[in-house]
Amino acid sequence: MIFARTERRTLRVAGGLALGTVLAFVGAATAVLLAHAGPGAGAPLLDAYIGRVARFTLLQATLSTLLSVLLAIPVARALARQRDFPGRVWIIRLSVVPLGLPALVAALGVIEIWGRQGVVNDLLGLAGLQSPFSVYGLAGILIAHVFFNLPLAARFLLAALDRIPAEYWLTSANLGMGGGAVFRLIEWPVIRRVLPGIAGLVFMLCATSFTIVLTLGGGPAATTIEVAIYQALRFDFDPERAVLLAFLQILVTASLLWLISLFGRPPEEGMTAGRAIRRFDGRGRRLPDGLVILLFTLFTAAPLAATLVSGLSADLVRLALDPLLHRALLTSLAISFASACLSLAIALPIVLVPRLAETGEAGIATRLMGRALPAVGSLILLVPPVVVATGWFLVLRTFGETGRFAPAVVTVLNALMALPFVVRVLEPAYRTHLARTARLALSLGVTGLHRLRWIDLPALKKPLLTAFAFAMALSLGDLGAVAIFGAEGFVTLPWLLFSRMASYRTADAAGIALLLGVICLLLTLPSTTAERPTESQSADA
């Protein structure tokens, strides 16, 4: 027994509220989508446009995944081999930065480097090439997706390579193995086990991309399903088409999650005595590995540096006095704070009730709740935020102007969007904490608020703050839900940034991007530099 009677009662009530909140919010949106679809409503809408959108969604996700993963392999191998490379720890930390950066800010950085007036086209002009490189369309989408997902894939692969026992490298050196033999016999078996899961995760992130495609798509020829949903509602006001696209998106995400689950086997761990890792095979590859690392650093750092430079060159004083910016900043901070609190409130029962269900005092209802809550916590992965926002848009438009309800809906939606990450951070920390302290605290009679204040909070402060900070950052950088409900009286920082970019006020957009990027990085960077990335660190890639 690890919980007192009053604690068990409180957990059951909290679990029921969390379960009911998520199911009601997502279920209501899905039910409205079903009602608007009607019997046979989708048949006349299965036209060439929807087929083209579906094909482009899968095409850009496939190409983005291939580029990200294939480029990540040499980057991870080079970082794993060159353990004494100057600044290696900072390069690894740099690879975490895109995880905490809003997609709209990264898109602006990509435009600064690869756009018509960007650095790449300036260099092409100096080389005598008159045809400028266009960042809009498929090329720009691929560049932005690789910017987000190449560092993520490289971090996962590097973590897998770092788990190879030090004895393997010592043995390979004693046997005189060459680079090809080391890759074939030692590195590739490890990479092969984790590669399908990494590729599946990157593919899902790219297939559900919204902000990047909306910003860099460049027209109907480069439109994904989620962007097509937004266009069907905000420009064409065609609810039937939006509903059909929403269910098509659910089908895509469900298929992707099922495929990812097939490769969920944990990597095998070799026996080790815990020696420090020494890579003898890296001595003869310092130059090529150094070149790979430098190119990776340049590709990752260039958009960040461009965003910083262009933001500092904007008229920051005038922006600081802009009342609309003040309102957008206050709205974003209020929504992100509320959504982070709500996400934590829902995540705690999801984490704790399954622990209660494992004990002998759990009844049938508690056991069923313990099995349902973890699945409900990941429900937003199956039904993407833009799809849920579409359902609630259709619900609320019957009550008048949807902008009046936008803050509440966006707050709940952002809380659910951050929920998988929050649960992933808190679950292992709480499991370890309960195993160490629960029985002792119960035997001493320390329960309820006293246990929370004196035992739980001091031990779990770091994971709680990490989860809260990332939930706030995800909400601050979100554009999808806000774009669906965008109204004159409801403006957030991402929506204001997107509006300034759309109206070609690039200087103002750069200043707003700098403000938004700095806030999100201040929230996420301190924790990500010390933590490994997890599957639920969703960036809107």
Side-chain angles (χ1 to χ4, degrees):
M1 186 167 60
I2 59 176
F3 296 105
R5 180 176 299 177
T6 55
E7 291 174 335
R8 295 199 300 270
R9 189 184 306 117
T10 302
L11 283 178
R12 292 190 189 101
V13 173
L17 289 175
L19 188 63
T21 299
V22 177
L23 289 179
F25 190 80
V26 178
T30 307
V32 170
L33 292 176
L34 286 170
H36 276 77
L45 298 175
L46 293 173
D47 52 21
Y49 171 74
I50 291 182
R52 186 169 67 248
V53 167
R55 286 193 299 272
F56 182 81
T57 300
L58 298 178
L59 172 65
Q60 61 85 20
T62 301
L63 294 177
S64 298
T65 302
L66 288 174
L67 288 172
S68 299
V69 172
L70 292 179
L71 292 175
I73 292 176
V75 171
R77 293 184 67 211
L79 287 170
R81 276 194 297 254
Q82 306 303 328
R83 307 187 71 82
D84 297 325
F85 189 83
R88 178 180 182 270
V89 63
W90 293 105
I91 294 172
I92 295 175
R93 289 179 178 180
L94 175 67
S95 69
V96 183
V97 172
L99 299 178
L101 198 67
L104 203 54
V105 177
L108 188 62
V110 169
I111 293 173
E112 292 287 341
I113 297 297
W114 298 86
R116 181 176 292 272
Q117 305 298 326
V119 176
V120 171
N121 276 318
D122 289 344
L123 294 176
L124 291 177
L126 292 175
L129 300 177
Q130 300 301 320
S131 178
F133 175 83
S134 176
V135 76
Y136 296 101
L138 179 60
I141 293 172
L142 295 179
I143 291 172
H145 281 168
V146 173
F147 168 76
F148 273 108
N149 296 306
L150 168 58
L152 178 66
R155 285 272 290 183
F156 276 126
L157 290 172
L158 179 60
L161 292 174
D162 283 346
R163 288 195 296 267
I164 298 175
E167 290 80 4
Y168 284 33
W169 308 118
L170 183 60
T171 303
S172 67
N174 290 334
L175 295 175
M177 285 187 182
V182 167
F183 176 74
R184 187 176 68 256
L185 299 176
I186 299 178
E187 291 179 319
W188 176 243
V190 174
I191 294 174
R192 184 180 59 199
R193 284 194 292 269
V194 299
L195 201 58
I198 296 172
L201 174 63
V202 172
F203 190 93
M204 186 179 72
L205 292 175
C206 297
T208 57
S209 180
F210 176 78
T211 304
I212 291 297
V213 180
L214 183 65
T215 308
L216 300 176
T223 299
T224 58
I225 298 174
E226 292 203 0
V227 174
I229 294 172
Y230 164 75
Q231 293 171 343
L233 285 179
R234 300 303 300 178
F235 296 121
D236 303 329
F237 196 72
D238 189 347
E240 287 191 355
R241 184 180 292 274
V243 168
L244 179 62
L245 289 165
F247 281 112
L248 181 60
Q249 183 68 10
I250 293 175
L251 178 62
V252 170
T253 53
S255 302
L256 291 174
L257 289 173
W258 175 72
L259 288 174
I260 292 174
S261 69
L262 298 180
F263 302 104
R265 183 169 58 93
E268 299 174 6
E269 301 289 347
M271 298 297 294
T272 178
R275 298 182 180 183
I277 295 176
R278 294 182 61 193
R279 291 291 300 265
F280 303 96
D281 58 323
R283 295 174 180 174
R285 296 191 53 85
R286 293 186 187 275
L287 183 59
D289 284 347
L291 181 61
V292 169
I293 295 172
L294 288 176
L295 289 175
F296 167 72
T297 305
L298 181 63
F299 178 78
T300 306
L304 304 176
T307 302
L308 178 62
V309 171
S310 60
L312 291 175
S313 63
D315 191 349
L316 297 178
V317 175
R318 182 179 59 81
L319 274 177
L321 298 176
D322 187 353
L324 186 59
L325 178 64
H326 299 164
R327 189 172 66 184
L329 176 60
L330 291 176
T331 300
S332 291
L333 290 175
I335 288 178
S336 62
F337 182 83
S339 66
C341 291
L342 180 60
S343 190
L344 279 180
I346 297 175
L348 290 176
I350 292 176
V351 170
L352 289 174
V353 171
R355 307 283 82 76
L356 176 62
E358 294 170 357
T359 61
E361 65 266 21
I364 296 178
T366 304
R367 293 193 184 114
L368 291 175
M369 188 186 300
R371 293 178 180 177
L373 278 171
V376 167
S378 300
L379 188 60
I380 200 65
L381 298 177
L382 176 62
V383 188
V386 170
V387 174
V388 180
T390 301
W392 276 101
F393 179 86
L394 296 175
V395 171
L396 298 176
R397 75 186 180 96
T398 60
F399 297 97
E401 176 57 47
T402 57
R404 292 183 299 167
F405 308 98
V409 175
V410 171
T411 297
V412 179
L413 194 54
N414 286 347
L416 297 185
M417 182 178 64
L419 192 57
F421 167 79
V422 174
V423 171
R424 187 65 179 261
V425 170
L426 295 181
E427 198 276 333
Y430 256 107
R431 184 174 61 246
T432 303
H433 173 68
L434 288 176
R436 292 174 178 175
T437 65
R439 297 185 185 278
L440 179 59
L442 193 61
S443 65
L444 295 174
V446 183
T447 60
L449 293 177
H450 293 291
R451 172 172 166 174
L452 178 66
R453 178 182 178 184
W454 298 112
I455 299 177
D456 294 341
L457 287 181
L460 298 168
K461 179 171 62 176
K462 183 175 180 179
L464 286 170
L465 289 176
T466 298
F468 185 84
F470 260 100
M472 275 198 70
L474 285 173
S475 179
L476 274 170
D478 175 62
L479 179 65
V482 178
I484 296 294
F485 286 94
E488 188 66 29
F490 179 59
V491 181
T492 63
L493 279 180
W495 182 249
L496 181 61
L497 171 57
F498 179 73
S499 301
R500 297 292 167 88
M501 291 175 65
S503 58
Y504 299 102
R505 298 171 64 179
T506 54
D508 287 354
I512 298 171
L514 178 62
L515 173 63
L516 182 59
V518 167
I519 294 174
C520 290
L521 289 179
L522 287 176
L523 286 170
T524 59
L525 197 56
S527 56
T528 52
T529 54
E531 301 290 339
R532 293 291 185 191
T534 61
E535 292 177 10
S536 51
Q537 289 175 6
S538 93
D540 182 13

